[in-house]
Amino acid sequence: MTAPAETGAQIPLPRPRFPGTGAVLDGTVTHSVALQPIVDLQRGEVVGFEALARFGGRQGLPGPWLTRARDSGDLASLEVMLLATALEARDRLPADTFLAINISPQLVGTAKVRAVLRSAGD
């Protein structure tokens, strides 16, 4: 015979994997890149753009998505996908401007990142 469960006792449940991360990776939740101008203040000219990730529409800021992706082990896959999306935006840039892309330092030299960079061409 087992003792009855203590009133108010918490039964630990496994933490479910954040569905949003998988939903982005499988295309269920949209992702995009916003291009924020970088201005040379001395010349007063736009000299480049920073690629900013957005999820589920223009206002879907990346912080919560990236945190959950890191917690669920999906960060590398998500960042590689965002890198590829950012590189696709290069054809929208004005001539003689650059594109800045943020990526985790530990991913920079990985085979997946090198493959995305090679496939993007010059």
Side-chain angles (χ1 to χ4, degrees), residues 56-80:
R58 189 156 172 76
Q59 301 304 317
L61 298 178
W65 292 93
L66 294 173
T67 298
R68 289 179 180 120
R70 182 180 56 244
D71 292 348
S72 66
D74 291 331
L75 184 59
S77 296
L78 186 60
E79 284 198 60
V80 166

Side-chain angles (χ1 to χ4, degrees), residues 11-36:
I11 299 171
L13 298 173
R15 285 181 63 192
R17 185 167 180 239
F18 175 65
T21 301
V24 172
L25 293 172
D26 73 12
T28 304
V29 171
T30 61
H31 72 282
S32 62
V33 172
L35 299 175
Q36 179 170 313

Side-chain angles (χ1 to χ4, degrees), residues 32-37 49-54 58 85 89 92 99-100:
S32 62
V33 172
L35 299 175
Q36 179 170 313
F49 295 85
E50 181 180 9
L52 304 173
R54 296 294 181 258
R58 189 156 172 76
T85 301
R92 300 190 325 234
L99 179 63

